[in-house]
Amino acid sequence: MVCRKLIPLPRHMIPALIGVCLGIALSLICVSVEEETCDLHSFSTKSKPKVAKQEQTNRAAEKEAPEVDHLGQSRKTNSLNEKQNFDYSNTDDFEPRLRTPVYSTKDHSEQKPTRKVIRPRYASTELGIREKLLVCVVTSQKTIPTLGASLNKTLAHYVPKILFFMGPRSNKLPSGMSIVSFTDSEQPVLPFHMLKYAAEHYGLSYDYYMFVNDNIYIRGEKLLDFVSDISISRPIHLGRPIVPKNSTIPYCDLNSGIIISQAILASVASSLEKCIGKGPSGEPADLGKCIAKLSGSGCTAKINEKHFTTFVSQNLDYDRQIKMLDKDPAFSTALTVSHVPDEVTMYKLHRHFCEQELVLTQRLLEETKDKIVKMSVLTPGGKAGVSWPVGVQEPHKPKSRFDVLKWDYFTETHVYLANDFSNVQELKGIHKQDVNDVITVAVERLTKKYGNQYEYSHLVNGYKRFDATRGLEYIIDLVLKNDNGEDLQKRVHLLRPLSLVEIVPMPYVTENSRVNLVLPISSSNRDGVVSFLDSYAHTCLDSGDSANLFIVFIYDPVNGKDDVFGVLKSMITYYENKYQNGARIAWISLHTSNPTEFTIMDAVSKKFAPESLLLLCTIGMELSTEFLNRVRMNTINGWQVFFPIGFYQYKPNLIYEEKPYPTTIEISKNVGHFDRSLYEQSSFYNSDYLSARKNGTEIDESKNDLFSMFVKQGKLHVFRAVEPALKHRYRHRVCNPALDEGAYQRCLVSRSQGLASRAQLAMLIFEHQQKVDKMHLKVLHKQNDPNVNHMNPNMLK
């Protein structure tokens, strides 16, 4: 059959078929030969460890003479090593083997232990990244409250750091300034001490250093842009050059400012005593002469085609000369203005240059917008694809119905459906001011476009939404009246764009601080203490977390002499005996009939040092290592207190259909909610609490809480944020009418919203109503009413 099928094949196909058959046969023959050849060069599995063991001992011999394989052919050492270390016949089971260096006994005994590598605190320190500019200012007791303070206010927010140097300190110094005083320093020698101090304490922290007197105005933003464009690879000595009579090396005038690089500072600081020992004459130029002489680099006002421009005016009268000075290019482009007579002139100069920068910025923005519109014709979308406003990020485009941003409807007095828990709310505070500002801006733009033809009447509709990619958008419908009293409705679209996001500088904190948990216990809530102690033992004691527990037993003087907390005290003793290293649990007794947060914390603060970190806890909260670390990071001594928003569980018998209830709390909308009305948990340092209590003695303790005290004090940042690691079990809340009206209303809202979600409450009401209807039908059946047979529960609604 096969021959009959092959016979009809075309004659030209027969050679191709024969070639394919011969190729397959030759390939099979070659494969068998190669396998036999590899076997000749390979070793058995048992011999491999021997070769590996002898490899290092025979390393010297391998370098001297080439090795010979089993066929007697001379081969290179590397080729032989590859065949000895790898089994080509079974590459799938290959396992890598680490080669560790073998040391002799003598070398191993003399080897020194390796030192532990200590990493620096900041990555910039390890990478050698320095700040750009340090400004050092010479001041005095007389001028620091006036010129010094005004220079600090106009310059400090532009440069990384500014230091003020003076002689002996006075009793009253301005706040918010970094001041270095020298008790034995006279005013002529003070600039030299200033340079030496900068070299010793900040010699490796900055690229450039600027030395000035306090009677100088500095355009901080322009100055920082100026030094940022200069390469740090070369020594820099900038200022207003002055050529002395007896020398050819120019020096810089301290009144106009001296800028030197880190290399110049290092070379001058080591030999600074030579200048001081010659007895300076007291002139401001002496520091400039010293820098020019010791560094060997003369002062210059030009670097890389950039000019360090200064304006010198011995008798500056701002009100009389500003119009004339505004036309002078030397004044308009100056980085510093020297010999400022007083602080009022300093503030006027700052306002003038800020207005000048604002006009320039607005002109650049308009030019950029025009360029974007002109270039849009070359883009795929054309001019129609340009977003509004020009240059701002395009609006958010939702990919599904779940990504649609919600618009909030508002009027001049109320906002509707602002959240999931309210239908209408009155506009108050900042929200009312926001709506008024939007209306004012809209009317101004309409007046600018149409002139004074129309007059604002009222707001018809308002819509707003927050777009995280661009800002807060508004659409408002305004009713305007013309000269004839006719109404005209206009729709205006406005945008409050997001500005440059800045990181708020915060002090450095770690997660190594010890947390002291403060737990107040009264006779009404003592039942939940057992669960809290178990949570503390599991989270802190078993894991070795640095957290202590301090319990406050609150006794009511009205009750008898029986100790209602005797069982709990025995449990504390049990934990102390269970953990050999100590349970770190302490307690005190507080006898009061009206316990408040202030009476409790006043008693607790006396038991701790001022630098202790306190965390006020409540019965029912679950402890976790994540939450304690968050407390350590968000509570900063002398800077910030932390009031977390915890996740509170709903009433279990309302949200669960059957027992037993789950032992853990899952973050879900059907299990609980983040209660923003409660301020029960808080963390702060004891020193901050004592300071707030000292400054807030007029606070009514019965109508206020710790949150209101820290807010009213105003010296600390009160940090309030959602904390998913803080979970709280349900407990019935009792609201005290004696509280402040705002606190009492918050308590009522929390109690009503803490039962269950709206959907769950509605379902419970519906099920209850159905049970009532069924009972009603049963009563009618018993009465033998002939119409009952044709009725069902739905007909009773």
mmCIF file with all atom_site columns, all heavy atoms in Angstrom, residues 426-440:
data_model
loop_
_atom_site.group_PDB
_atom_site.id
_atom_site.type_symbol
_atom_site.label_atom_id
_atom_site.label_alt_id
_atom_site.label_comp_id
_atom_site.label_asym_id
_atom_site.label_entity_id
_atom_site.label_seq_id
_atom_site.pdbx_PDB_ins_code
_atom_site.Cartn_x
_atom_site.Cartn_y
_atom_site.Cartn_z
_atom_site.occupancy
_atom_site.B_iso_or_equiv
_atom_site.pdbx_formal_charge
_atom_site.auth_seq_id
_atom_site.auth_comp_id
_atom_site.auth_asym_id
_atom_site.auth_atom_id
_atom_site.pdbx_PDB_model_num
ATOM 1   N N   . GLU A 1 426 ? -26.291 73.577 57.086 1.00 0.00 ? 426 GLU A N   1
ATOM 2   C CA  . GLU A 1 426 ? -26.102 75.015 56.963 1.00 0.00 ? 426 GLU A CA  1
ATOM 3   C C   . GLU A 1 426 ? -24.629 75.325 56.740 1.00 0.00 ? 426 GLU A C   1
ATOM 4   O O   . GLU A 1 426 ? -23.742 74.732 57.360 1.00 0.00 ? 426 GLU A O   1
ATOM 5   C CB  . GLU A 1 426 ? -26.595 75.717 58.226 1.00 0.00 ? 426 GLU A CB  1
ATOM 6   C CG  . GLU A 1 426 ? -26.524 77.234 58.141 1.00 0.00 ? 426 GLU A CG  1
ATOM 7   C CD  . GLU A 1 426 ? -27.012 77.902 59.413 1.00 0.00 ? 426 GLU A CD  1
ATOM 8   O OE1 . GLU A 1 426 ? -27.433 77.169 60.337 1.00 0.00 ? 426 GLU A OE1 1
ATOM 9   O OE2 . GLU A 1 426 ? -26.956 79.155 59.491 1.00 0.00 ? 426 GLU A OE2 1
ATOM 10  N N   . LEU A 1 427 ? -24.373 76.252 55.821 1.00 0.00 ? 427 LEU A N   1
ATOM 11  C CA  . LEU A 1 427 ? -22.994 76.660 55.556 1.00 0.00 ? 427 LEU A CA  1
ATOM 12  C C   . LEU A 1 427 ? -22.487 77.520 56.705 1.00 0.00 ? 427 LEU A C   1
ATOM 13  O O   . LEU A 1 427 ? -23.104 78.545 57.056 1.00 0.00 ? 427 LEU A O   1
ATOM 14  C CB  . LEU A 1 427 ? -22.914 77.444 54.247 1.00 0.00 ? 427 LEU A CB  1
ATOM 15  C CG  . LEU A 1 427 ? -23.117 76.638 52.962 1.00 0.00 ? 427 LEU A CG  1
ATOM 16  C CD1 . LEU A 1 427 ? -23.166 77.571 51.763 1.00 0.00 ? 427 LEU A CD1 1
ATOM 17  C CD2 . LEU A 1 427 ? -22.004 75.612 52.782 1.00 0.00 ? 427 LEU A CD2 1
ATOM 18  N N   . LYS A 1 428 ? -21.366 77.096 57.293 1.00 0.00 ? 428 LYS A N   1
ATOM 19  C CA  . LYS A 1 428 ? -20.782 77.822 58.415 1.00 0.00 ? 428 LYS A CA  1
ATOM 20  C C   . LYS A 1 428 ? -19.274 77.896 58.242 1.00 0.00 ? 428 LYS A C   1
ATOM 21  O O   . LYS A 1 428 ? -18.662 77.079 57.559 1.00 0.00 ? 428 LYS A O   1
ATOM 22  C CB  . LYS A 1 428 ? -21.105 77.128 59.746 1.00 0.00 ? 428 LYS A CB  1
ATOM 23  C CG  . LYS A 1 428 ? -22.571 77.095 60.106 1.00 0.00 ? 428 LYS A CG  1
ATOM 24  C CD  . LYS A 1 428 ? -22.773 76.399 61.449 1.00 0.00 ? 428 LYS A CD  1
ATOM 25  C CE  . LYS A 1 428 ? -24.243 76.345 61.845 1.00 0.00 ? 428 LYS A CE  1
ATOM 26  N NZ  . LYS A 1 428 ? -24.455 75.651 63.140 1.00 0.00 ? 428 LYS A NZ  1
ATOM 27  N N   . GLY A 1 429 ? -18.692 78.889 58.888 1.00 0.00 ? 429 GLY A N   1
ATOM 28  C CA  . GLY A 1 429 ? -17.247 78.987 58.978 1.00 0.00 ? 429 GLY A CA  1
ATOM 29  C C   . GLY A 1 429 ? -16.563 79.083 57.637 1.00 0.00 ? 429 GLY A C   1
ATOM 30  O O   . GLY A 1 429 ? -16.935 79.872 56.758 1.00 0.00 ? 429 GLY A O   1
ATOM 31  N N   . ILE A 1 430 ? -15.571 78.221 57.442 1.00 0.00 ? 430 ILE A N   1
ATOM 32  C CA  . ILE A 1 430 ? -14.744 78.285 56.246 1.00 0.00 ? 430 ILE A CA  1
ATOM 33  C C   . ILE A 1 430 ? -15.529 77.910 54.998 1.00 0.00 ? 430 ILE A C   1
ATOM 34  O O   . ILE A 1 430 ? -15.233 78.390 53.896 1.00 0.00 ? 430 ILE A O   1
ATOM 35  C CB  . ILE A 1 430 ? -13.511 77.370 56.426 1.00 0.00 ? 430 ILE A CB  1
ATOM 36  C CG1 . ILE A 1 430 ? -12.480 77.639 55.339 1.00 0.00 ? 430 ILE A CG1 1
ATOM 37  C CG2 . ILE A 1 430 ? -13.904 75.908 56.460 1.00 0.00 ? 430 ILE A CG2 1
ATOM 38  C CD1 . ILE A 1 430 ? -11.832 78.990 55.414 1.00 0.00 ? 430 ILE A CD1 1
ATOM 39  N N   . HIS A 1 431 ? -16.551 77.053 55.147 1.00 0.00 ? 431 HIS A N   1
ATOM 40  C CA  . HIS A 1 431 ? -17.364 76.667 53.989 1.00 0.00 ? 431 HIS A CA  1
ATOM 41  C C   . HIS A 1 431 ? -18.225 77.849 53.500 1.00 0.00 ? 431 HIS A C   1
ATOM 42  O O   . HIS A 1 431 ? -18.382 78.046 52.293 1.00 0.00 ? 431 HIS A O   1
ATOM 43  C CB  . HIS A 1 431 ? -18.257 75.487 54.365 1.00 0.00 ? 431 HIS A CB  1
ATOM 44  C CG  . HIS A 1 431 ? -17.493 74.283 54.820 1.00 0.00 ? 431 HIS A CG  1
ATOM 45  N ND1 . HIS A 1 431 ? -16.775 73.499 53.953 1.00 0.00 ? 431 HIS A ND1 1
ATOM 46  C CD2 . HIS A 1 431 ? -17.321 73.745 56.055 1.00 0.00 ? 431 HIS A CD2 1
ATOM 47  C CE1 . HIS A 1 431 ? -16.192 72.525 54.626 1.00 0.00 ? 431 HIS A CE1 1
ATOM 48  N NE2 . HIS A 1 431 ? -16.508 72.646 55.904 1.00 0.00 ? 431 HIS A NE2 1
ATOM 49  N N   . LYS A 1 432 ? -18.743 78.621 54.428 1.00 0.00 ? 432 LYS A N   1
ATOM 50  C CA  . LYS A 1 432 ? -19.496 79.821 54.057 1.00 0.00 ? 432 LYS A CA  1
ATOM 51  C C   . LYS A 1 432 ? -18.585 80.848 53.390 1.00 0.00 ? 432 LYS A C   1
ATOM 52  O O   . LYS A 1 432 ? -18.963 81.472 52.376 1.00 0.00 ? 432 LYS A O   1
ATOM 53  C CB  . LYS A 1 432 ? -20.141 80.412 55.311 1.00 0.00 ? 432 LYS A CB  1
ATOM 54  C CG  . LYS A 1 432 ? -20.893 81.713 55.099 1.00 0.00 ? 432 LYS A CG  1
ATOM 55  C CD  . LYS A 1 432 ? -22.130 81.524 54.256 1.00 0.00 ? 432 LYS A CD  1
ATOM 56  C CE  . LYS A 1 432 ? -22.933 82.815 54.191 1.00 0.00 ? 432 LYS A CE  1
ATOM 57  N NZ  . LYS A 1 432 ? -24.127 82.694 53.316 1.00 0.00 ? 432 LYS A NZ  1
ATOM 58  N N   . GLN A 1 433 ? -17.390 81.010 53.926 1.00 0.00 ? 433 GLN A N   1
ATOM 59  C CA  . GLN A 1 433 ? -16.440 81.947 53.328 1.00 0.00 ? 433 GLN A CA  1
ATOM 60  C C   . GLN A 1 433 ? -16.021 81.496 51.934 1.00 0.00 ? 433 GLN A C   1
ATOM 61  O O   . GLN A 1 433 ? -15.832 82.328 51.037 1.00 0.00 ? 433 GLN A O   1
ATOM 62  C CB  . GLN A 1 433 ? -15.219 82.063 54.235 1.00 0.00 ? 433 GLN A CB  1
ATOM 63  C CG  . GLN A 1 433 ? -14.177 83.054 53.745 1.00 0.00 ? 433 GLN A CG  1
ATOM 64  C CD  . GLN A 1 433 ? -12.972 83.124 54.670 1.00 0.00 ? 433 GLN A CD  1
ATOM 65  O OE1 . GLN A 1 433 ? -12.981 82.536 55.750 1.00 0.00 ? 433 GLN A OE1 1
ATOM 66  N NE2 . GLN A 1 433 ? -11.941 83.820 54.239 1.00 0.00 ? 433 GLN A NE2 1
ATOM 67  N N   . ASP A 1 434 ? -15.903 80.194 51.739 1.00 0.00 ? 434 ASP A N   1
ATOM 68  C CA  . ASP A 1 434 ? -15.523 79.664 50.428 1.00 0.00 ? 434 ASP A CA  1
ATOM 69  C C   . ASP A 1 434 ? -16.570 80.013 49.379 1.00 0.00 ? 434 ASP A C   1
ATOM 70  O O   . ASP A 1 434 ? -16.248 80.457 48.268 1.00 0.00 ? 434 ASP A O   1
ATOM 71  C CB  . ASP A 1 434 ? -15.345 78.152 50.531 1.00 0.00 ? 434 ASP A CB  1
ATOM 72  C CG  . ASP A 1 434 ? -15.040 77.519 49.187 1.00 0.00 ? 434 ASP A CG  1
ATOM 73  O OD1 . ASP A 1 434 ? -14.137 78.001 48.488 1.00 0.00 ? 434 ASP A OD1 1
ATOM 74  O OD2 . ASP A 1 434 ? -15.725 76.546 48.815 1.00 0.00 ? 434 ASP A OD2 1
ATOM 75  N N   . VAL A 1 435 ? -17.856 79.834 49.697 1.00 0.00 ? 435 VAL A N   1
ATOM 76  C CA  . VAL A 1 435 ? -18.926 80.151 48.745 1.00 0.00 ? 435 VAL A CA  1
ATOM 77  C C   . VAL A 1 435 ? -18.955 81.651 48.453 1.00 0.00 ? 435 VAL A C   1
ATOM 78  O O   . VAL A 1 435 ? -19.128 82.080 47.299 1.00 0.00 ? 435 VAL A O   1
ATOM 79  C CB  . VAL A 1 435 ? -20.274 79.656 49.287 1.00 0.00 ? 435 VAL A CB  1
ATOM 80  C CG1 . VAL A 1 435 ? -21.424 80.141 48.403 1.00 0.00 ? 435 VAL A CG1 1
ATOM 81  C CG2 . VAL A 1 435 ? -20.287 78.139 49.386 1.00 0.00 ? 435 VAL A CG2 1
ATOM 82  N N   . ASN A 1 436 ? -18.776 82.477 49.479 1.00 0.00 ? 436 ASN A N   1
ATOM 83  C CA  . ASN A 1 436 ? -18.762 83.931 49.270 1.00 0.00 ? 436 ASN A CA  1
ATOM 84  C C   . ASN A 1 436 ? -17.610 84.360 48.382 1.00 0.00 ? 436 ASN A C   1
ATOM 85  O O   . ASN A 1 436 ? -17.761 85.245 47.516 1.00 0.00 ? 436 ASN A O   1
ATOM 86  C CB  . ASN A 1 436 ? -18.688 84.649 50.613 1.00 0.00 ? 436 ASN A CB  1
ATOM 87  C CG  . ASN A 1 436 ? -19.939 84.449 51.453 1.00 0.00 ? 436 ASN A CG  1
ATOM 88  O OD1 . ASN A 1 436 ? -21.023 84.156 50.921 1.00 0.00 ? 436 ASN A OD1 1
ATOM 89  N ND2 . ASN A 1 436 ? -19.818 84.592 52.757 1.00 0.00 ? 436 ASN A ND2 1
ATOM 90  N N   . ASP A 1 437 ? -16.441 83.740 48.568 1.00 0.00 ? 437 ASP A N   1
ATOM 91  C CA  . ASP A 1 437 ? -15.289 84.083 47.722 1.00 0.00 ? 437 ASP A CA  1
ATOM 92  C C   . ASP A 1 437 ? -15.537 83.699 46.265 1.00 0.00 ? 437 ASP A C   1
ATOM 93  O O   . ASP A 1 437 ? -15.166 84.446 45.341 1.00 0.00 ? 437 ASP A O   1
ATOM 94  C CB  . ASP A 1 437 ? -14.038 83.369 48.236 1.00 0.00 ? 437 ASP A CB  1
ATOM 95  C CG  . ASP A 1 437 ? -13.578 83.903 49.581 1.00 0.00 ? 437 ASP A CG  1
ATOM 96  O OD1 . ASP A 1 437 ? -14.021 85.000 49.954 1.00 0.00 ? 437 ASP A OD1 1
ATOM 97  O OD2 . ASP A 1 437 ? -12.791 83.214 50.261 1.00 0.00 ? 437 ASP A OD2 1
ATOM 98  N N   . VAL A 1 438 ? -16.167 82.552 46.035 1.00 0.00 ? 438 VAL A N   1
ATOM 99  C CA  . VAL A 1 438 ? -16.448 82.116 44.667 1.00 0.00 ? 438 VAL A CA  1
ATOM 100 C C   . VAL A 1 438 ? -17.413 83.083 43.985 1.00 0.00 ? 438 VAL A C   1
ATOM 101 O O   . VAL A 1 438 ? -17.220 83.468 42.821 1.00 0.00 ? 438 VAL A O   1
ATOM 102 C CB  . VAL A 1 438 ? -17.013 80.681 44.683 1.00 0.00 ? 438 VAL A CB  1
ATOM 103 C CG1 . VAL A 1 438 ? -17.555 80.305 43.315 1.00 0.00 ? 438 VAL A CG1 1
ATOM 104 C CG2 . VAL A 1 438 ? -15.940 79.698 45.106 1.00 0.00 ? 438 VAL A CG2 1
ATOM 105 N N   . ILE A 1 439 ? -18.449 83.485 44.712 1.00 0.00 ? 439 ILE A N   1
ATOM 106 C CA  . ILE A 1 439 ? -19.415 84.433 44.133 1.00 0.00 ? 439 ILE A CA  1
ATOM 107 C C   . ILE A 1 439 ? -18.742 85.767 43.837 1.00 0.00 ? 439 ILE A C   1
ATOM 108 O O   . ILE A 1 439 ? -18.971 86.389 42.782 1.00 0.00 ? 439 ILE A O   1
ATOM 109 C CB  . ILE A 1 439 ? -20.613 84.605 45.081 1.00 0.00 ? 439 ILE A CB  1
ATOM 110 C CG1 . ILE A 1 439 ? -21.370 83.282 45.210 1.00 0.00 ? 439 ILE A CG1 1
ATOM 111 C CG2 . ILE A 1 439 ? -21.536 85.709 44.586 1.00 0.00 ? 439 ILE A CG2 1
ATOM 112 C CD1 . ILE A 1 439 ? -22.503 83.326 46.218 1.00 0.00 ? 439 ILE A CD1 1
ATOM 113 N N   . THR A 1 440 ? -17.881 86.229 44.738 1.00 0.00 ? 440 THR A N   1
ATOM 114 C CA  . THR A 1 440 ? -17.204 87.514 44.547 1.00 0.00 ? 440 THR A CA  1
ATOM 115 C C   . THR A 1 440 ? -16.304 87.481 43.313 1.00 0.00 ? 440 THR A C   1
ATOM 116 O O   . THR A 1 440 ? -16.306 88.416 42.496 1.00 0.00 ? 440 THR A O   1
ATOM 117 C CB  . THR A 1 440 ? -16.372 87.853 45.795 1.00 0.00 ? 440 THR A CB  1
ATOM 118 O OG1 . THR A 1 440 ? -17.238 87.889 46.931 1.00 0.00 ? 440 THR A OG1 1
ATOM 119 C CG2 . THR A 1 440 ? -15.694 89.196 45.635 1.00 0.00 ? 440 THR A CG2 1
#
